[in-house]
Amino acid sequence: MNKIKVGFISFAHMHAVSYLNSMQKREDVEVVGIADENAERVRPYSVERGIPYYANYDELLAQDLDAVVICSENARHAEITKRAAAAGKHVLCEKPLGLSESEMLDMIQTCKDNGVQLMTAFPCRFITSVRQAKEAIDAGQIGEILAMKGTNRGTMPGGWFIEREHSGGGAVLDHTVHVMDLMHWFTGSVAEEVYAHAETLFHETDIDDAGMVHVKFANGVVAVLDPSWSRNRTFPTWGDVTLEIIGTKGVINIDSFAQKNDVYSDITGKAAWSFWGDDMDEGLINSFVDSIRDGKPVAISGEDGYYSARVALAAYESASSKQTVRLK
Amino acid sequence: MNIAIIGCGTMGMAYAGNLAAMPGVKVTGVVDINAGRAEKAAAVSGAKAYTDVDTLLQQEELETVAICLPTYLHKPFVLKLAEKGLHIICEKPAALTLEDALEMKAACEKHGVRLFIGHVVRFFPNYANAYRQAHSGVIGTAKMAHFKRYGSYPKGMDGWYSNHDQSGGVILDLMIHDIDFACWLFGEVESVFASVIKREEPEMEYAQVTLRFKSSAIANLTGYWGYPGPFTTQFEIAGDQGIIRFDSNQVQSLDIKLAAGPSGEQAAVQIPSSPSLHDPYYDEVQHFIKCIQDGSEPRVSAADACYAVEIALAAERSARTGQPVIMGGNAS
């Protein structure tokens, strides 16, 4: 069996660990190397797992590779994606895809020009409740979608996430894109108007940690989304992904992490939710690998990443102009 | 305290039952243009049934009147009763326009009578508890909130709820509960943004509203008439050091399941309930009566009620224009 050869570039975003674990579960995948300028950060995954380490990702790209997984700081997604594409490697890129419309369109075009696929890492599409909701919607169970309300509230991640030169934005960029992608997927439409607040309300930081994003889609659907880093230290889990979909014939509520046990621990000193549902990251990785192996289009394209990230960018524009922003 | 109830629909009946049980209060008359409904309220409260207000006013010695009429009738009745020197407890929302609400308030001030608007959510123990908790410091400073209020499509007399000119729609009639609570919690509003979806067959109206407060707090509210599920309220208040959450579907202290299916008949307007000695409407009216008796200030003032109308109408305007509405001036 010809194995799919995969490299990892940067573990700045710790989703890389979970993606690596999912890759290593597959018989048909060989992880050829991990590139990261920070050797210490990846030691537990490279040296300790016997995976070759590269300080410079160009050296990794020079190897015999089919695809790379990019989990760098947001600000480096474009540069690394384009280099990987030029080296003829398919790309799975962590969200948000990029930090400007032009940069993202450039990434998409470069991948096309080099005949490689670009997939945006939106694991929420592989939450089982989300997939079943999509099936129910496509089967017409709730009729036509009229409105949606979503939340992707989380814990303040700290680190480079709150350094604008690395992240490009705070909570509104970090957490708008996941649920916005689901909204696009469910409606089959594209966000056309954005009105938003982006504020620093919860933490001692210069970057936005709170927001509220209203969207109107081309097909008339209205939606609102809370992307705030508003989960405090004693909240029983890191955050949530919820989506309520109001249709002409019914209502669907998704509470992605509701499959949990309540744990009351004197050892940790707080109540906690222990999640026991399916692993969405594994679904994402399997989908990417299957597409590469079978030569089929990836399930979540670069364009999908672009459509969601530009809503977050428009949200900042709206928050600063205090007006509704129209997307072209 | 002699009190009369005008309007014997869902709310009038709730008042009738509560006031009949309240010590020191006598319901002397109940009025409804529909004699059958007036008789029903009379039977519950021990009052005399009337089909017009003028006859009530001629025959009964009153101090206070509870107005449980459709919203579009609030103003004419408040003006008429204030002129007669009667204290008024009026169902929410105060009126269909800010001008009308302010005129009602001014008329009551002019005639030296008290005006209370039934923003009962401030008296719901779960909301009152959340307000106290949020202000106690245990969650630090409250910064963001979500409020949700979903119910079936209300069926008033002659379908007045579905007539926007009579009820004001889902924001002014239903979401105004949460607008008032959010303003109680966070203070004055800086800007309002809203989207509304309205459809016939099946009739529904749904709204999502974001309020940005001068304190920089943000609240998102959703309201829904025509929700296919059970009457549902939810809220979350997030502070910089803690979170308060409530979900009406997760607080059943009593659950009785019967082998035979439910009888099928649904209330015209859903009213939430939870096992308690008195319902929040009882506590609310008792509080208003106490304010009349001792001259104290109510938990929710007529000015607060006018402000809630102002914000609700700003939301309607935002939904029409697709742009935020910036609020000006002071709360009252």
Side-chain angles (χ1 to χ4, degrees), chain A residues 147-149 153 195 197 199 201 211-212 214 223-224 226 228 230-232 235 244 246 248 322-324, chain B residues 143-144 146 148 150 193 197 199 206 208 210 212 216 218 220 224 236 239-240 242-243 245 322-324:
Chain A
M148 295 177 283
K149 174 169 176 171
R153 295 170 290 202
Y195 173 80
H197 295 282
E199 313 271 348
L201 296 181
M212 198 65 72
H214 283 264
V224 63
D226 180 350
S228 307
S230 54
R231 302 306 85 179
N232 60 309
F235 195 75
E244 177 170 71
I246 315 279
T248 52
K322 298 184 190 297
Q323 293 288 307
T324 299
Chain B
K143 298 287 191 178
M144 287 187 83
H146 289 270
K148 171 174 175 173
Y150 287 7
F193 186 87
I197 299 282
R199 282 176 64 92
Y206 167 86
Q208 41 191 217
T210 292
R212 209 275 190 180
S216 85
I218 298 169
N220 181 261
Y224 191 172
E236 174 185 293
D240 51 11
I243 290 170
R245 302 179 113 182
Q323 290 290 343

Side-chain angles (χ1 to χ4, degrees), chain A residues 6 14 25 59 71 76 110 114 135 221 251 256 298 300:
Chain A
V6 176
M14 289 314 279
K25 277 191 190 168
E59 287 173 34
C71 287
R76 298 176 65 207
T110 305
N114 287 281
E135 285 167 17
V221 171
V251 176
S256 303
V298 290
I300 311 167

Side-chain angles (χ1 to χ4, degrees), chain B residues 122-288:
Chain B
R122 295 200 193 192
F123 297 86
F124 268 69
N126 49 335
Y127 286 84
N129 174 286
Y131 178 84
R132 281 196 307 276
Q133 289 285 322
H135 281 264
S136 73
V138 294
I139 62 163
T141 306
K143 298 287 191 178
M144 287 187 83
H146 289 270
F147 297 97
K148 171 174 175 173
R149 190 167 297 271
Y150 287 7
S152 59
Y153 202 96
K155 297 177 188 68
M157 199 163 60
D158 303 326
W160 70 271
Y161 281 102
S162 56
N163 184 338
H164 198 275
D165 295 336
Q166 297 190 339
S167 74
V170 74
I171 295 176
L172 191 72
D173 192 82
L174 183 70
M175 188 189 282
I176 200 162
H177 282 299
D178 296 304
I179 290 174
D180 172 64
F181 185 82
C183 294
W184 191 34
L185 190 67
F186 288 128
E188 284 178 43
V189 174
E190 183 181 86
S191 70
V192 182
F193 186 87
S195 302
V196 178
I197 299 282
K198 198 169 152 65
R199 282 176 64 92
E200 324 258 318
E201 304 293 326
E203 206 166 18
M204 65 85 74
E205 191 175 354
Y206 167 86
Q208 41 191 217
V209 174
T210 292
L211 304 179
R212 209 275 190 180
F213 293 85
K214 290 183 180 170
S215 66
S216 85
I218 298 169
N220 181 261
L221 296 70
T222 47
Y224 191 172
W225 272 347
Y227 179 53
F231 188 86
T232 296
T233 56
Q234 286 175 10
F235 61 74
E236 174 185 293
I237 303 166
D240 51 11
Q241 294 180 76
I243 290 170
I244 303 167
R245 302 179 113 182
F246 167 82
D247 180 348
S248 61
N249 295 316
Q250 291 178 18
V251 294
Q252 285 79 8
S253 64
L254 174 66
D255 185 19
I256 302 175
K257 296 274 194 285
L258 303 176
S263 65
E265 196 182 319
Q266 221 184 2
V269 182
Q270 291 172 311
I271 297 179
S273 79
S274 190
S276 57
L277 296 176
H278 294 302
D279 70 39
Y281 301 89
Y282 183 101
D283 295 330
E284 174 195 45
V285 173
Q286 192 171 45
H287 169 76
F288 289 155

Side-chain angles (χ1 to χ4, degrees), chain B residues 77-131:
Chain B
F77 279 86
V78 166
L79 297 186
K80 181 189 182 94
L81 296 164
E83 206 182 319
K84 302 279 180 195
L86 296 170
H87 301 299
I88 296 161
I89 299 169
C90 178
E91 256 314 302
K92 46 52 57 182
L96 293 169
T97 68
L98 177 61
E99 293 70 29
D100 284 356
L102 291 172
E103 192 181 337
M104 289 158 59
K105 178 172 170 286
C108 290
E109 282 164 4
K110 179 182 159 199
H111 294 290
V113 298
R114 306 291 301 272
L115 173 64
F116 305 93
I117 307 295
H119 282 289
V120 72
V121 164
R122 295 200 193 192
F123 297 86
F124 268 69
N126 49 335
Y127 286 84
N129 174 286
Y131 178 84

